[in-house]
């Protein structure tokens, strides 16, 4: 593995092949969050609002981890992909808020 | 088929980004995913607006079976991991391994799709059809649209496998592998929100 990692290194140095460890960590994290989510709902009789926020929070953490590592969004050169997805998510938040406000309040 | 794992020296370390065309393909695909996010967002907002409008049909909490949804979630999550392994094998220029992981990915995708078809069939028998209520229409549109994406992904990755078998792993075919893997992860991320917002929040 490359140990010194200076900016002046040629292409081949920067493009060292990554191992599967990080991806397996993301997988285990996703599994754990999924199990907690299902268990929280299966257990029932907990504060409803608390469970909903817990579920949403864990989904967002899981989605972030998968997008950062599995979809390589944490890697350099992903400025425009981030702009694209953040723009999309921004519209989604407005759509969901609008739908909920119009229908239920 | 090119099984030359050791003398693939001509191929750069990240073959998907070696050409401008490859890089543009990936960038263009990300912008498409931004649009896909909005598309799924509209379906999610419609579902959230109508999820209590059940008329005489079954309510979400009567309908959904958590064990089934959990199995589907695990299957799709594992398929997303095998898709990561395919891209990692590609970065090591191990074409055979890469094709193997891609095949595992589409096999798991097919299992997921089979379970979803079984699930929808069960619901239909319980009187939860597309036209039963606003809830059922919104449900089938959102979850079915995701299922359609899975079906398309299976077809797409399958065709990429066939093309790699024919042409080998090159700077032209590598971006296709990479982009189809990104698509597959995106489907999995959308499913995270479907099982959370539709299934789990429907049971809370």
């Amino acid at each position: 593995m490359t140990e010194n990692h200076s900016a002046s290194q040629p292409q081949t140095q920067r493009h060292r092949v990554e191992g599967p460890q990080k991806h397996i960590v993301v997988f285990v994290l996703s599994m754990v969050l999924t199990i907690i989510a299902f268990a929280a709902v299966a257990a029932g009789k907990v504060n409803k609002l608390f469970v909903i926020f817990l579920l949403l929070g864990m989904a967002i953490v899981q989605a972030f981890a998968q997008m950062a590592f599995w979809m390589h969004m944490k890697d350099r050169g992903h400025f425009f992909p981030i702009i694209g997805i953040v723009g999309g998510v921004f519209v989604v938040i407005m759509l969901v808020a609008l739908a909920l406000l119009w229908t239920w309040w | 088929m090119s099984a030359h794992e050791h003398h693939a020296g001509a191929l750069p370390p990240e073959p998907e980004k070696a050409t401008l065309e490859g890089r543009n393909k990936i960038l263009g695909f990300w912008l498409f995913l931004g649009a896909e996010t909005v598309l799924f967002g509209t379906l999610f907002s419609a579902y959230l607006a109508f999820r209590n409008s059940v008329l005489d049909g079954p309510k979400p909490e009567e309908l959904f079976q958590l064990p089934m949804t959990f199995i589907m979630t695990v299957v799709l999550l594992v398929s997303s991991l095998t898709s990561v392994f395919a891209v990692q094998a590609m970065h090591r220029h191990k074409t055979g391994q890469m094709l193997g992981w891609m095949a595992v990915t589409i096999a798991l995708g097919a299992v997921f799709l089979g379970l979803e078809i079984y699930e929808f069939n069960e619901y239909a028998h319980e009187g939860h059809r597309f036209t039963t209520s606003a809830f059922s229409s919104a449900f089938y549109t959102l979850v079915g649209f995701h299922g359609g994406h899975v079906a398309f992904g299976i077809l797409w990755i399958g065709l990429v496998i066939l093309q790699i078998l024919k042409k080998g792993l090159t700077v032209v075919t590598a971006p296709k592998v990479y982009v189809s893997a990104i698509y597959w992860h995106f489907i999995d991320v959308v499913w995270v929100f479907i099982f959370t917002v539709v299934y789990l929040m429907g049971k809370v």
Side-chain angles (χ1 to χ4, degrees):
Chain A
M1 284 291 178
T2 54
E3 271 162 64
N4 48 2
H5 199 237
S6 71
S8 58
Q9 293 284 332
Q11 287 284 93
T12 49
Q13 283 285 352
R14 265 192 282 115
H15 288 151
R16 78 219 180 284
V17 178
E18 55 171 17
Q21 295 88 354
K22 285 180 301 185
H23 297 301
I24 290 168
V25 169
V26 172
F27 176 74
V28 171
L29 174 77
S30 297
M31 271 308 294
V32 169
L33 290 176
T34 302
I35 290 169
I36 294 173
F38 276 85
V41 175
K45 58 190 173 195
V46 206
N47 186 320
K48 205 170 161 171
L49 208 60
F50 170 74
V51 174
I52 286 176
F53 278 107
L54 178 75
L55 291 176
L56 286 176
M58 291 196 303
I60 290 166
V61 169
Q62 189 178 148
F64 256 93
Q66 291 185 16
M67 288 171 88
F69 290 92
W70 288 0
M71 296 171 85
H72 302 278
M73 271 178 107
K74 62 158 185 50
D75 295 354
R76 13 186 258 123
H78 279 73
F79 177 71
F80 284 106
I82 289 168
I83 294 292
I85 294 295
V86 168
V89 169
F90 178 70
V91 177
V92 171
I93 291 168
M94 287 203 301
L95 285 169
V96 169
L98 217 62
L100 291 178
L101 286 172
W102 257 347
T103 341
W104 305 119
W105 278 282
Chain B
M1 183 186 157
S2 67
H4 318 296
E5 292 178 358
H6 297 293
H7 42 95
L11 210 58
E14 287 187 339
E16 78 276 11
K17 291 178 192 142
T19 63
L20 180 62
E21 191 189 328
R23 290 192 294 276
N24 283 344
K25 196 172 272 180
I26 294 166
L27 173 61
F29 194 76
W30 272 107
L31 298 180
F32 164 74
L33 286 186
E36 285 267 277
T37 308
V38 175
L39 184 60
F40 275 105
T42 60
L43 299 176
F44 269 107
S45 65
Y47 176 80
L48 287 170
F50 294 134
R51 70 193 203 113
N52 294 324
S53 314
V54 293
L55 291 180
D56 297 328
K59 294 188 173 82
E61 60 265 34
E62 296 163 358
L63 208 57
F64 301 149
Q65 302 295 326
L66 287 186
M68 180 71 164
T69 310
F70 183 73
I71 293 167
M72 286 167 74
T73 304
V74 172
V75 168
L76 204 61
L77 189 61
V78 173
S79 82
S80 203
L81 181 70
T82 57
S83 184
V84 167
F85 289 159
V87 169
Q88 289 202 312
M90 179 184 79
H91 285 160
R92 292 187 173 78
H93 304 158
K94 298 197 170 168
T95 311
Q97 261 184 33
M98 178 189 80
L99 291 174
W101 286 121
M102 287 165 82
V104 173
T105 304
I106 55 174
L108 289 168
V111 170
F112 175 88
L113 208 58
L115 289 172
E116 188 156 88
I117 290 166
Y118 172 80
E119 182 200 358
F120 282 7
N121 198 34
E122 288 283 291
Y123 291 168
H125 283 305
E126 289 171 38
H128 178 70
R129 294 166 183 281
F130 192 85
T131 53
T132 303
S133 61
F135 158 65
S136 77
S137 298
F139 169 82
Y140 282 123
T141 310
L142 170 58
V143 183
F145 215 81
H146 176 270
H149 275 72
V150 174
F152 181 78
I154 292 170
L155 205 68
W156 182 12
I157 297 176
L159 288 174
V160 173
I161 291 176
L162 292 181
Q163 197 178 37
I164 303 273
L165 285 174
K166 197 162 174 241
K167 301 190 172 176
L169 183 63
T170 66
V171 290
V172 178
T173 52
K176 303 180 186 194
V177 176
Y178 186 82
V179 158
S180 62
I182 295 283
Y183 175 79
W184 197 262
H185 297 314
F186 179 77
I187 292 174
D188 185 44
V189 171
V190 171
W191 180 256
V192 169
F193 287 100
I194 290 182
F195 86 68
T196 302
V197 172
V198 176
Y199 291 92
L200 292 182
M201 278 165 62
K203 280 288 214 181
V204 170

